[in-house]
Amino acid sequence: MTTTADYLVEGMTCGHCVMSVTEELTALEGVQHVEVDLRPGAASTVTVSSDAPIDPDAVRAAVGEAGYSLSDPRP
Amino acid sequence: MTTTADYLVEGMTCGHCVMSVTEELTALEGVQHVEVDLRPGAASTVTVSSDAPIDPDAVRAAVGEAGYSLSDPRP
């Protein structure tokens, strides 16, 4: 079974940014696939597919490791 | 003696782009130092310092190798 989750990531501007984020997220245990809808100048949508739900804190940490940050959800 | 030359490079948006261009230009024979004034959304100024003048065609090729292009000078 595959679980997918979408995250909004700030500050990604080019293909190198996509590579960095994809590399960090793919390294998380259980992650099968990462897809990025790059939107330079806005938040990019990053879709993480995994065989079990991934802890959002782990995703936040991996995105931070790549040098970017998750968009905080608005209340 | 050090020669410096400025080039305008299109399409650079982030630190990864700076790294790519710097790596390619630093690999050119005679280049001592590369400095980039990053301007996302506009042309970035790339300053190449070398011990002798560098062939602009070699600079153009190196920038292209990194995935970017020189701004053509306007007449």
Side-chain angles (χ1 to χ4, degrees):
Chain A
M1 201 203 67
T2 300
T3 301
T4 67
D6 285 347
Y7 296 88
L8 286 173
V9 177
E10 302 282 354
M12 298 173 66
T13 55
C14 76
H16 295 111
C17 304
V18 172
M19 272 195 301
S20 295
V21 167
T22 300
E23 272 176 26
E24 289 294 340
L25 289 173
T26 306
L28 294 179
E29 198 179 323
V31 169
Q32 293 168 329
H33 186 70
V34 174
E35 197 166 313
V36 178
D37 180 15
L38 180 64
R39 297 185 60 210
S44 297
T45 301
V46 176
T47 304
V48 179
S49 306
S50 52
D51 49 16
I54 303 286
D55 179 357
D57 285 345
V59 170
R60 183 178 297 275
V63 166
E65 196 62 39
Y68 306 92
S69 55
L70 289 190
S71 237
D72 280 317
R74 301 297 155 80
Chain B
M1 201 202 69
T2 299
T3 302
T4 68
D6 285 347
Y7 296 88
L8 286 172
V9 177
E10 303 282 355
M12 297 174 66
T13 55
C14 76
H16 296 111
C17 303
V18 172
M19 272 196 299
S20 296
V21 168
T22 300
E23 272 176 28
E24 290 293 340
L25 288 173
T26 306
L28 293 180
E29 198 179 323
V31 169
Q32 293 168 329
H33 186 70
V34 174
E35 197 167 313
V36 178
D37 179 16
L38 180 64
R39 297 185 61 209
S44 297
T45 301
V46 177
T47 304
V48 179
S49 305
S50 52
D51 50 17
I54 303 287
D55 179 356
D57 284 345
V59 171
R60 182 178 298 274
V63 166
E65 196 61 39
Y68 306 93
S69 57
L70 289 189
S71 239
D72 279 315
R74 302 297 153 81

